[in-house]
Amino acid sequence: MKAIGDPTIQIPSIGILGGTFNPIHFGHLRMAQELADTLNFDEVRFIPAANPPHKNTPSISAEHRAAMVRLGIANNPVFTFDDCELRRTGASYTIDTLLSLREELGSQTSITLFMGSDAFTKFDTWHRWQEIIPLCHIVLVQRPTAQTEANKLPKLLETFLHNHYSENGDDLHTSPAGFVTMRPVTALDISSTAIREAFKHGYSARYLMPDSVIEYIHAHNLYK
Ligand code: ATP
Ligand code: MG
């Protein structure tokens, strides 16, 4: 029998996208779609954070944010929803999510965490961050931002990147975890922060996010 890590054997592979999703928008959705296509994932799981450790308590409940994610990914056969972080109490740490995914999926499924460049610059502050890469791969996408300087990587993360970097997308399908890669995606300068601001001012958020999610926001009087 050939061992995992054998470059000729493809193992089941899923992508995961965690976030506050306050609210979900086309930046999240388009990035996930393009990575699913170019890196060949059978499934991309959206995992909303109940209590994001690096943010103030979101203005909108986890239940509303999760409901908007469900609406946003509806009708896409590749996108799935996972409420594992909503079922836990306390801070929503990615390490705990990965450990529970490993319990569910076992050690022979490839798991790839999707991450925007802004999130990666602070990766070394994540809870038990060094225990994350043995549990999953990471694919980084450049996020358009005015503050490129602020996105400069700390030395620690440069080394991390160097040690785990792979250009070869096949690595994500032949090993369950351990590689970091980067992929270009269509640059959409959309953020939940800007969307919340738009709603606050009574501006339209059309063409930044799915209509169904906009309707939900109006129906529940959110972001006033
Ligand atoms: P906020 O403005 O409230 O921080 P956000 O738009 O950054 O919200 P998050 O829920 O924080 O959205 O992001 C979840 C993940 O999606 C992060 O890894 C983030 O980098 C990535 N992401 C968010 N928006 C985009 C975008 N427009 N393009 C690419 N990646 C994105
Ligand atoms: Mg953000």
Side-chain angles (χ1 to χ4, degrees):
M1 212 182 90
K2 290 184 174 171
I4 291 298
D6 183 317
T8 62
I9 295 185
Q10 300 259 324
I11 55 176
S13 308
I14 76 161
I16 61 177
L17 178 59
T20 312
F21 300 115
N22 187 23
I24 189 165
H25 53 70
F26 285 147
H28 301 125
L29 291 161
R30 186 65 207 166
M31 175 254 271
Q33 182 64 54
E34 291 187 15
L35 293 179
D37 289 340
T38 57
L39 288 170
N40 233 331
F41 293 109
D42 319 312
E43 177 188 348
V44 178
R45 279 197 201 190
F46 286 69
I47 309 182
N51 306 300
H54 286 106
K55 289 187 178 177
N56 298 330
T57 305
S59 50
I60 298 298
S61 73
E63 286 67 28
H64 278 314
R65 291 183 286 105
M68 292 189 282
V69 171
R70 282 180 190 274
L71 282 173
I73 66 173
N75 303 319
N76 186 324
V78 174
F79 290 174
T80 61
F81 174 84
D82 191 333
D83 66 354
C84 66
E85 296 193 358
L86 274 68
R87 287 185 270 110
R88 293 202 304 263
T89 54
S92 306
Y93 294 123
T94 299
I95 181 72
D96 296 329
T97 299
L98 288 167
L99 289 168
S100 82
L101 284 173
R102 280 290 165 211
E103 275 195 13
E104 178 196 334
L105 303 168
S107 59
Q108 320 247 317
T109 294
S110 166
I111 300 176
T112 299
L113 183 62
F114 298 174
M115 212 189 282
S117 49
D118 58 318
F120 186 67
T121 54
K122 297 179 214 101
F123 183 58
D124 59 329
T125 67
W126 289 22
H127 185 56
R128 294 164 61 188
W129 72 278
Q130 277 146 323
E131 294 168 59
I132 290 178
I133 198 69
L135 293 169
C136 66
H137 304 293
I138 297 174
V139 58
L140 300 175
V141 302
Q142 185 60 44
R143 192 166 171 186
T145 164
Q147 305 141 303
T148 337
E149 273 312 295
N151 276 343
K152 272 199 79 172
L153 281 187
K155 193 92 200 119
L156 201 58
L157 287 181
E158 265 180 31
T159 307
F160 173 83
L161 202 55
H162 179 261
N163 288 343
H164 296 280
Y165 194 74
S166 166
E167 198 67 63
N168 184 359
D170 285 344
D171 284 337
L172 307 187
H173 294 282
T174 52
S175 305
F179 289 107
V180 182
T181 191
M182 289 182 194
R183 283 296 180 275
V185 295
T186 302
L188 294 174
D189 197 358
I190 302 173
S191 71
S192 302
T193 301
I195 288 173
R196 291 193 299 275
E197 275 301 297
F199 279 111
K200 212 167 90 188
H201 289 100
Y203 299 156
S204 173
R206 285 186 82 184
Y207 318 119
L208 295 176
M209 61 197 299
D211 288 340
S212 56
V213 180
I214 297 179
E215 281 159 24
Y216 183 96
I217 288 169
H218 287 313
H220 293 86
N221 235 339
L222 309 180
Y223 305 117
K224 278 294 156 73

